[in-house]
mmCIF file of all heavy atoms in Angstrom:
data_model
loop_
_atom_site.group_PDB
_atom_site.id
_atom_site.type_symbol
_atom_site.label_atom_id
_atom_site.label_comp_id
_atom_site.label_asym_id
_atom_site.label_seq_id
_atom_site.Cartn_x
_atom_site.Cartn_y
_atom_site.Cartn_z
ATOM 1 N N LYS A 1 -146.693 -80.809 -113.468
ATOM 2 C CA LYS A 1 -146.076 -80.364 -114.715
ATOM 3 C C LYS A 1 -145.387 -79.022 -114.509
ATOM 4 O O LYS A 1 -145.759 -78.238 -113.628
ATOM 5 C CB LYS A 1 -147.148 -80.171 -115.803
ATOM 6 C CG LYS A 1 -147.823 -81.433 -116.289
ATOM 7 C CD LYS A 1 -148.719 -81.120 -117.481
ATOM 8 C CE LYS A 1 -147.919 -80.636 -118.674
ATOM 9 N NZ LYS A 1 -148.759 -80.470 -119.881
ATOM 10 N N ILE A 2 -144.414 -78.742 -115.359
ATOM 11 C CA ILE A 2 -143.901 -77.380 -115.457
ATOM 12 C C ILE A 2 -144.981 -76.543 -116.126
ATOM 13 O O ILE A 2 -145.542 -76.949 -117.151
ATOM 14 C CB ILE A 2 -142.584 -77.346 -116.257
ATOM 15 C CG1 ILE A 2 -141.481 -78.075 -115.482
ATOM 16 C CG2 ILE A 2 -142.165 -75.907 -116.549
ATOM 17 C CD1 ILE A 2 -140.155 -78.134 -116.199
ATOM 18 N N ARG A 3 -145.292 -75.416 -115.528
ATOM 19 C CA ARG A 3 -146.416 -74.625 -116.022
ATOM 20 C C ARG A 3 -146.123 -73.963 -117.365
ATOM 21 O O ARG A 3 -144.955 -73.803 -117.766
ATOM 22 C CB ARG A 3 -146.830 -73.572 -114.998
ATOM 23 C CG ARG A 3 -145.859 -72.458 -114.756
ATOM 24 C CD ARG A 3 -146.450 -71.350 -113.881
ATOM 25 N NE ARG A 3 -146.871 -71.802 -112.588
ATOM 26 C CZ ARG A 3 -148.159 -71.956 -112.233
ATOM 27 N NH1 ARG A 3 -149.117 -71.677 -113.098
ATOM 28 N NH2 ARG A 3 -148.480 -72.360 -111.024
ATOM 29 N N SER A 4 -147.183 -73.579 -118.042
ATOM 30 C CA SER A 4 -147.075 -72.853 -119.306
ATOM 31 C C SER A 4 -146.940 -71.355 -119.026
ATOM 32 O O SER A 4 -147.167 -70.891 -117.902
ATOM 33 C CB SER A 4 -148.305 -73.112 -120.173
ATOM 34 O OG SER A 4 -148.405 -74.484 -120.500
ATOM 35 N N VAL A 5 -146.602 -70.609 -120.041
ATOM 36 C CA VAL A 5 -146.398 -69.167 -119.885
ATOM 37 C C VAL A 5 -147.678 -68.492 -119.396
ATOM 38 O O VAL A 5 -147.679 -67.776 -118.395
ATOM 39 C CB VAL A 5 -145.935 -68.539 -121.216
ATOM 40 C CG1 VAL A 5 -145.856 -67.021 -121.101
ATOM 41 C CG2 VAL A 5 -144.578 -69.108 -121.619
ATOM 42 N N THR A 6 -148.779 -68.744 -120.081
ATOM 43 C CA THR A 6 -150.092 -68.237 -119.674
ATOM 44 C C THR A 6 -151.144 -69.257 -120.081
ATOM 45 O O THR A 6 -150.844 -70.260 -120.741
ATOM 46 C CB THR A 6 -150.429 -66.883 -120.351
ATOM 47 O OG1 THR A 6 -150.619 -67.102 -121.765
ATOM 48 C CG2 THR A 6 -149.329 -65.859 -120.134
ATOM 49 N N SER A 7 -152.391 -68.992 -119.723
ATOM 50 C CA SER A 7 -153.478 -69.889 -120.115
ATOM 51 C C SER A 7 -153.693 -69.884 -121.622
ATOM 52 O O SER A 7 -154.258 -70.823 -122.187
ATOM 53 C CB SER A 7 -154.780 -69.483 -119.403
ATOM 54 O OG SER A 7 -155.130 -68.151 -119.745
ATOM 55 N N LYS A 8 -153.235 -68.826 -122.299
ATOM 56 C CA LYS A 8 -153.403 -68.728 -123.751
ATOM 57 C C LYS A 8 -152.120 -69.042 -124.509
ATOM 58 O O LYS A 8 -152.146 -69.211 -125.722
ATOM 59 C CB LYS A 8 -153.894 -67.322 -124.121
ATOM 60 C CG LYS A 8 -155.293 -67.008 -123.597
ATOM 61 C CD LYS A 8 -155.752 -65.641 -124.033
ATOM 62 C CE LYS A 8 -157.155 -65.340 -123.518
ATOM 63 N NZ LYS A 8 -157.620 -63.999 -123.928
ATOM 64 N N ASP A 9 -151.004 -69.101 -123.793
ATOM 65 C CA ASP A 9 -149.708 -69.422 -124.400
ATOM 66 C C ASP A 9 -149.184 -70.687 -123.737
ATOM 67 O O ASP A 9 -148.719 -70.659 -122.602
ATOM 68 C CB ASP A 9 -148.732 -68.260 -124.191
ATOM 69 C CG ASP A 9 -147.383 -68.493 -124.860
ATOM 70 O OD1 ASP A 9 -147.137 -69.621 -125.348
ATOM 71 O OD2 ASP A 9 -146.562 -67.556 -124.884
ATOM 72 N N ASN A 10 -149.271 -71.807 -124.441
ATOM 73 C CA ASN A 10 -148.919 -73.108 -123.868
ATOM 74 C C ASN A 10 -147.431 -73.347 -123.717
ATOM 75 O O ASN A 10 -147.020 -74.357 -123.140
ATOM 76 C CB ASN A 10 -149.525 -74.238 -124.720
ATOM 77 C CG ASN A 10 -151.020 -74.351 -124.527
ATOM 78 O OD1 ASN A 10 -151.548 -74.048 -123.461
ATOM 79 N ND2 ASN A 10 -151.716 -74.783 -125.574
ATOM 80 N N ALA A 11 -146.612 -72.459 -124.226
ATOM 81 C CA ALA A 11 -145.165 -72.681 -124.198
ATOM 82 C C ALA A 11 -144.665 -72.895 -122.773
ATOM 83 O O ALA A 11 -145.119 -72.260 -121.824
ATOM 84 C CB ALA A 11 -144.440 -71.496 -124.827
ATOM 85 N N CYS A 12 -143.731 -73.818 -122.617
ATOM 86 C CA CYS A 12 -143.080 -74.060 -121.333
ATOM 87 C C CYS A 12 -142.417 -72.766 -120.859
ATOM 88 O O CYS A 12 -141.777 -72.055 -121.648
ATOM 89 C CB CYS A 12 -142.035 -75.161 -121.495
ATOM 90 S SG CYS A 12 -141.033 -75.461 -120.010
ATOM 91 N N ILE A 13 -142.537 -72.460 -119.561
ATOM 92 C CA ILE A 13 -141.987 -71.196 -119.058
ATOM 93 C C ILE A 13 -140.462 -71.148 -119.143
ATOM 94 O O ILE A 13 -139.878 -70.071 -119.066
ATOM 95 C CB ILE A 13 -142.421 -70.925 -117.606
ATOM 96 C CG1 ILE A 13 -141.984 -72.063 -116.689
ATOM 97 C CG2 ILE A 13 -143.894 -70.671 -117.515
ATOM 98 C CD1 ILE A 13 -142.120 -71.721 -115.238
ATOM 99 N N TYR A 14 -139.826 -72.300 -119.294
ATOM 100 C CA TYR A 14 -138.367 -72.324 -119.389
ATOM 101 C C TYR A 14 -137.866 -72.252 -120.835
ATOM 102 O O TYR A 14 -136.657 -72.322 -121.072
ATOM 103 C CB TYR A 14 -137.812 -73.578 -118.710
ATOM 104 C CG TYR A 14 -137.979 -73.566 -117.216
ATOM 105 C CD1 TYR A 14 -138.676 -74.575 -116.567
ATOM 106 C CD2 TYR A 14 -137.444 -72.541 -116.435
ATOM 107 C CE1 TYR A 14 -138.840 -74.574 -115.184
ATOM 108 C CE2 TYR A 14 -137.599 -72.525 -115.059
ATOM 109 C CZ TYR A 14 -138.292 -73.543 -114.439
ATOM 110 O OH TYR A 14 -138.454 -73.538 -113.077
ATOM 111 N N TYR A 15 -138.778 -72.107 -121.771
ATOM 112 C CA TYR A 15 -138.377 -72.017 -123.181
ATOM 113 C C TYR A 15 -138.035 -70.570 -123.528
ATOM 114 O O TYR A 15 -138.792 -69.641 -123.212
ATOM 115 C CB TYR A 15 -139.496 -72.516 -124.090
ATOM 116 C CG TYR A 15 -139.192 -72.399 -125.566
ATOM 117 C CD1 TYR A 15 -138.117 -73.084 -126.125
ATOM 118 C CD2 TYR A 15 -139.968 -71.602 -126.402
ATOM 119 C CE1 TYR A 15 -137.820 -72.976 -127.477
ATOM 120 C CE2 TYR A 15 -139.697 -71.501 -127.755
ATOM 121 C CZ TYR A 15 -138.620 -72.184 -128.287
ATOM 122 O OH TYR A 15 -138.324 -72.076 -129.629
ATOM 123 N N ASP A 16 -136.897 -70.383 -124.153
ATOM 124 C CA ASP A 16 -136.461 -69.062 -124.614
ATOM 125 C C ASP A 16 -136.748 -68.976 -126.113
ATOM 126 O O ASP A 16 -135.990 -69.524 -126.924
ATOM 127 C CB ASP A 16 -134.958 -68.899 -124.349
ATOM 128 C CG ASP A 16 -134.408 -67.580 -124.882
ATOM 129 O OD1 ASP A 16 -135.169 -66.805 -125.491
ATOM 130 O OD2 ASP A 16 -133.200 -67.330 -124.686
ATOM 131 N N PRO A 17 -137.846 -68.298 -126.504
ATOM 132 C CA PRO A 17 -138.223 -68.274 -127.922
ATOM 133 C C PRO A 17 -137.251 -67.496 -128.798
ATOM 134 O O PRO A 17 -137.117 -67.780 -129.986
ATOM 135 C CB PRO A 17 -139.603 -67.598 -127.901
ATOM 136 C CG PRO A 17 -139.614 -66.794 -126.642
ATOM 137 C CD PRO A 17 -138.792 -67.564 -125.658
ATOM 138 N N LEU A 18 -136.556 -66.522 -128.209
ATOM 139 C CA LEU A 18 -135.613 -65.726 -129.000
ATOM 140 C C LEU A 18 -134.458 -66.578 -129.501
ATOM 141 O O LEU A 18 -134.067 -66.516 -130.670
ATOM 142 C CB LEU A 18 -135.088 -64.552 -128.160
ATOM 143 C CG LEU A 18 -134.160 -63.581 -128.891
ATOM 144 C CD1 LEU A 18 -134.887 -62.908 -130.052
ATOM 145 C CD2 LEU A 18 -133.624 -62.526 -127.923
ATOM 146 N N ASN A 19 -133.926 -67.394 -128.601
ATOM 147 C CA ASN A 19 -132.786 -68.249 -128.964
ATOM 148 C C ASN A 19 -133.199 -69.683 -129.278
ATOM 149 O O ASN A 19 -132.345 -70.524 -129.572
ATOM 150 C CB ASN A 19 -131.766 -68.255 -127.826
ATOM 151 C CG ASN A 19 -131.146 -66.894 -127.594
ATOM 152 O OD1 ASN A 19 -130.603 -66.302 -128.514
ATOM 153 N ND2 ASN A 19 -131.245 -66.394 -126.365
ATOM 154 N N LYS A 20 -134.499 -69.946 -129.175
ATOM 155 C CA LYS A 20 -135.036 -71.293 -129.390
ATOM 156 C C LYS A 20 -134.253 -72.316 -128.566
ATOM 157 O O LYS A 20 -133.711 -73.298 -129.090
ATOM 158 C CB LYS A 20 -135.005 -71.664 -130.877
ATOM 159 C CG LYS A 20 -135.969 -70.850 -131.724
ATOM 160 C CD LYS A 20 -136.062 -71.364 -133.153
ATOM 161 C CE LYS A 20 -137.121 -70.611 -133.943
ATOM 162 N NZ LYS A 20 -137.241 -71.112 -135.327
ATOM 163 N N SER A 21 -134.203 -72.046 -127.273
ATOM 164 C CA SER A 21 -133.418 -72.899 -126.392
ATOM 165 C C SER A 21 -134.102 -73.049 -125.040
ATOM 166 O O SER A 21 -135.035 -72.308 -124.707
ATOM 167 C CB SER A 21 -132.018 -72.311 -126.198
ATOM 168 O OG SER A 21 -132.105 -71.040 -125.564
ATOM 169 N N CYS A 22 -133.627 -74.009 -124.259
ATOM 170 C CA CYS A 22 -134.149 -74.275 -122.925
ATOM 171 C C CYS A 22 -133.250 -73.603 -121.891
ATOM 172 O O CYS A 22 -132.039 -73.807 -121.893
ATOM 173 C CB CYS A 22 -134.200 -75.788 -122.684
ATOM 174 S SG CYS A 22 -134.639 -76.239 -120.995
ATOM 175 N N THR A 23 -133.841 -72.819 -120.988
ATOM 176 C CA THR A 23 -133.042 -72.097 -120.000
ATOM 177 C C THR A 23 -132.600 -72.989 -118.837
ATOM 178 O O THR A 23 -131.816 -72.562 -117.995
ATOM 179 C CB THR A 23 -133.833 -70.896 -119.447
ATOM 180 O OG1 THR A 23 -135.052 -71.354 -118.852
ATOM 181 C CG2 THR A 23 -134.160 -69.898 -120.554
ATOM 182 N N ILE A 24 -133.112 -74.224 -118.784
ATOM 183 C CA ILE A 24 -132.662 -75.168 -117.750
ATOM 184 C C ILE A 24 -132.157 -76.455 -118.412
ATOM 185 O O ILE A 24 -132.277 -77.538 -117.849
ATOM 186 C CB ILE A 24 -133.785 -75.486 -116.735
ATOM 187 C CG1 ILE A 24 -135.000 -76.095 -117.460
ATOM 188 C CG2 ILE A 24 -134.169 -74.276 -115.934
ATOM 189 C CD1 ILE A 24 -136.001 -76.749 -116.516
ATOM 190 N N TYR A 25 -131.577 -76.333 -119.580
ATOM 191 C CA TYR A 25 -131.207 -77.499 -120.377
ATOM 192 C C TYR A 25 -130.313 -78.480 -119.615
ATOM 193 O O TYR A 25 -130.480 -79.696 -119.719
ATOM 194 C CB TYR A 25 -130.507 -77.065 -121.665
ATOM 195 C CG TYR A 25 -130.229 -78.212 -122.612
ATOM 196 C CD1 TYR A 25 -131.227 -78.680 -123.459
ATOM 197 C CD2 TYR A 25 -128.983 -78.835 -122.646
ATOM 198 C CE1 TYR A 25 -130.993 -79.744 -124.322
ATOM 199 C CE2 TYR A 25 -128.737 -79.896 -123.499
ATOM 200 C CZ TYR A 25 -129.755 -80.354 -124.340
ATOM 201 O OH TYR A 25 -129.518 -81.412 -125.175
ATOM 202 N N ALA A 26 -129.387 -77.972 -118.824
ATOM 203 C CA ALA A 26 -128.425 -78.844 -118.127
ATOM 204 C C ALA A 26 -129.110 -79.751 -117.105
ATOM 205 O O ALA A 26 -128.595 -80.823 -116.780
ATOM 206 C CB ALA A 26 -127.360 -77.998 -117.432
ATOM 207 N N TYR A 27 -130.257 -79.342 -116.606
ATOM 208 C CA TYR A 27 -130.993 -80.178 -115.648
ATOM 209 C C TYR A 27 -132.462 -80.289 -116.031
ATOM 210 O O TYR A 27 -133.355 -80.254 -115.190
ATOM 211 C CB TYR A 27 -130.831 -79.644 -114.210
ATOM 212 C CG TYR A 27 -130.800 -78.137 -114.084
ATOM 213 C CD1 TYR A 27 -131.962 -77.394 -113.941
ATOM 214 C CD2 TYR A 27 -129.576 -77.458 -114.107
ATOM 215 C CE1 TYR A 27 -131.916 -76.014 -113.827
ATOM 216 C CE2 TYR A 27 -129.521 -76.081 -113.993
ATOM 217 C CZ TYR A 27 -130.696 -75.363 -113.849
ATOM 218 O OH TYR A 27 -130.644 -73.998 -113.743
ATOM 219 N N ARG A 28 -132.696 -80.439 -117.327
ATOM 220 C CA ARG A 28 -134.050 -80.605 -117.838
ATOM 221 C C ARG A 28 -134.641 -81.929 -117.333
ATOM 222 O O ARG A 28 -133.916 -82.890 -117.088
ATOM 223 C CB ARG A 28 -134.065 -80.542 -119.363
ATOM 224 C CG ARG A 28 -133.296 -81.660 -120.052
ATOM 225 C CD ARG A 28 -132.956 -81.271 -121.487
ATOM 226 N NE ARG A 28 -132.329 -82.366 -122.234
ATOM 227 C CZ ARG A 28 -131.040 -82.692 -122.128
ATOM 228 N NH1 ARG A 28 -130.260 -82.060 -121.278
ATOM 229 N NH2 ARG A 28 -130.541 -83.668 -122.864
ATOM 230 N N PRO A 29 -135.976 -81.982 -117.197
ATOM 231 C CA PRO A 29 -136.627 -83.192 -116.666
ATOM 232 C C PRO A 29 -136.508 -84.398 -117.597
ATOM 233 O O PRO A 29 -136.140 -84.285 -118.777
ATOM 234 C CB PRO A 29 -138.094 -82.762 -116.524
ATOM 235 C CG PRO A 29 -138.052 -81.279 -116.431
ATOM 236 C CD PRO A 29 -136.909 -80.864 -117.329
ATOM 237 N N LEU A 30 -136.867 -85.559 -117.043
ATOM 238 C CA LEU A 30 -136.751 -86.827 -117.753
ATOM 239 C C LEU A 30 -137.445 -86.809 -119.104
ATOM 240 O O LEU A 30 -136.873 -87.239 -120.114
ATOM 241 C CB LEU A 30 -137.337 -87.953 -116.883
ATOM 242 C CG LEU A 30 -137.400 -89.340 -117.535
ATOM 243 C CD1 LEU A 30 -136.000 -89.873 -117.787
ATOM 244 C CD2 LEU A 30 -138.200 -90.299 -116.664
ATOM 245 N N GLN A 31 -138.702 -86.346 -119.158
ATOM 246 C CA GLN A 31 -139.436 -86.366 -120.423
ATOM 247 C C GLN A 31 -138.703 -85.595 -121.508
ATOM 248 O O GLN A 31 -138.687 -86.012 -122.673
ATOM 249 C CB GLN A 31 -140.848 -85.800 -120.232
ATOM 250 C CG GLN A 31 -141.800 -86.746 -119.541
ATOM 251 C CD GLN A 31 -143.245 -86.264 -119.606
ATOM 252 O OE1 GLN A 31 -143.582 -85.342 -120.356
ATOM 253 N NE2 GLN A 31 -144.109 -86.881 -118.817
ATOM 254 N N CYS A 32 -138.092 -84.473 -121.133
ATOM 255 C CA CYS A 32 -137.350 -83.671 -122.113
ATOM 256 C C CYS A 32 -136.080 -84.391 -122.558
ATOM 257 O O CYS A 32 -135.682 -84.291 -123.724
ATOM 258 C CB CYS A 32 -137.002 -82.313 -121.519
ATOM 259 S SG CYS A 32 -138.424 -81.354 -120.980
ATOM 260 N N ARG A 33 -135.462 -85.113 -121.634
ATOM 261 C CA ARG A 33 -134.216 -85.816 -121.981
ATOM 262 C C ARG A 33 -134.460 -86.960 -122.955
ATOM 263 O O ARG A 33 -133.608 -87.239 -123.810
ATOM 264 C CB ARG A 33 -133.535 -86.346 -120.710
ATOM 265 C CG ARG A 33 -133.096 -85.262 -119.746
ATOM 266 C CD ARG A 33 -132.062 -85.775 -118.751
ATOM 267 N NE ARG A 33 -132.530 -86.896 -117.944
ATOM 268 C CZ ARG A 33 -133.170 -86.766 -116.779
ATOM 269 N NH1 ARG A 33 -133.441 -85.560 -116.312
ATOM 270 N NH2 ARG A 33 -133.532 -87.831 -116.089
ATOM 271 N N VAL A 34 -135.596 -87.643 -122.814
ATOM 272 C CA VAL A 34 -135.831 -88.815 -123.667
ATOM 273 C C VAL A 34 -136.608 -88.488 -124.938
ATOM 274 O O VAL A 34 -136.658 -89.306 -125.865
ATOM 275 C CB VAL A 34 -136.581 -89.929 -122.896
ATOM 276 C CG1 VAL A 34 -135.800 -90.326 -121.654
ATOM 277 C CG2 VAL A 34 -138.001 -89.506 -122.537
ATOM 278 N N LEU A 35 -137.202 -87.297 -124.988
ATOM 279 C CA LEU A 35 -138.048 -86.958 -126.138
ATOM 280 C C LEU A 35 -137.236 -86.787 -127.414
ATOM 281 O O LEU A 35 -136.275 -86.021 -127.466
ATOM 282 C CB LEU A 35 -138.833 -85.672 -125.869
ATOM 283 C CG LEU A 35 -139.656 -85.138 -127.051
ATOM 284 C CD1 LEU A 35 -140.720 -86.160 -127.463
ATOM 285 C CD2 LEU A 35 -140.293 -83.810 -126.720
ATOM 286 N N LYS A 36 -137.635 -87.519 -128.432
ATOM 287 C CA LYS A 36 -137.144 -87.321 -129.794
ATOM 288 C C LYS A 36 -138.399 -87.221 -130.659
ATOM 289 O O LYS A 36 -139.129 -88.207 -130.802
ATOM 290 C CB LYS A 36 -136.262 -88.486 -130.248
ATOM 291 C CG LYS A 36 -135.012 -88.670 -129.405
ATOM 292 C CD LYS A 36 -134.088 -89.735 -129.978
ATOM 293 C CE LYS A 36 -134.625 -91.143 -129.786
ATOM 294 N NZ LYS A 36 -134.517 -91.605 -128.388
#
């Protein structure tokens, strides 16, 4: 898996909370591409 920020913060490390966006969006993994 892509790791979380910390053991207490489950957020994906590639998530940008300020802009509410993915920092690797152009090549995000399969699960992210199909998730609705």
